[in-house]
Amino acid sequence: MMLRKTSLASLAFLGLLSGCGQSQRPLYYWGNYPDQTYAYLKGQTDPQSQVLAMEKDEQQAQAQNLALPPGFHAHLGLLDAASGRGDLAAQEFTQEKTQFPEAAPYMDFLLKNMGQVRTVAAVSPAPASAQPAATGSAAASK
């Protein structure tokens, strides 16, 4: 009887361990997207090189049969708009809207204002080292 309880407890424990050993497949393929976006926003890369890097990430996601993360197509669309490729930007915004319906209001706004998006996206932020330092009198007057 004691042997039976011990073997049942051992089987239950092994069952728990085997459930923990299975790795869960990721929901999205992030690739270098976060790093690429950060580098672009810091002014450390240009739109064209980032488009190439993101397209490479897109191909890797397709090869692994994983979805791209939220914002991927929207950011790619902004880069396309900054490069003067409005038709590609519209495709990316529409794809983002299809994949993530909660993004539809913003994507519709961007699609409606494509000319303005092109202007805003073309101006990448300057690196922090290039921004003028606040002087004491300017900071005091604020």
Side-chain angles (χ1 to χ4, degrees):
M1 183 72 159
M2 179 72 148
L3 180 61
R4 188 173 185 188
K5 286 183 183 179
T6 305
S7 57
L8 284 176
S10 297
L11 284 175
F13 182 71
L14 288 174
L16 288 173
L17 284 180
S18 68
C20 295
Q22 297 174 355
S23 64
Q24 194 173 23
R25 185 182 164 147
L27 186 59
Y28 300 114
Y29 178 82
W30 290 90
N32 292 322
Y33 171 58
D35 295 331
Q36 285 293 328
T37 304
Y38 183 75
Y40 179 73
L41 294 175
K42 294 280 288 180
Q44 298 170 345
T45 184
D46 62 298
Q48 188 59 32
S49 62
Q50 188 169 33
V51 165
L52 294 173
M54 291 181 72
E55 286 174 348
K56 183 179 175 184
D57 279 348
E58 188 171 15
Q59 291 170 355
Q60 290 175 347
Q62 289 173 351
Q64 295 180 26
N65 201 26
L66 291 171
L68 292 166
F72 188 94
H73 289 289
H75 187 69
L76 196 51
L78 288 173
L79 293 171
D80 287 333
S83 301
R85 297 184 305 233
D87 54 336
L88 292 175
Q91 288 176 5
E92 295 295 341
F93 294 152
T94 302
Q95 193 165 359
E96 181 78 19
K97 187 168 75 167
T98 303
Q99 190 174 357
F100 301 100
E102 64 274 15
Y106 184 55
M107 294 301 106
D108 289 340
F109 170 79
L110 292 176
L111 287 165
K112 179 180 168 188
N113 298 297
M114 281 292 287
Q116 294 169 356
V117 168
R118 195 170 300 132
T119 304
V120 171
V123 180
S124 66
S129 61
Q131 295 178 358
T135 60
S137 60
S141 65
K142 288 187 181 179

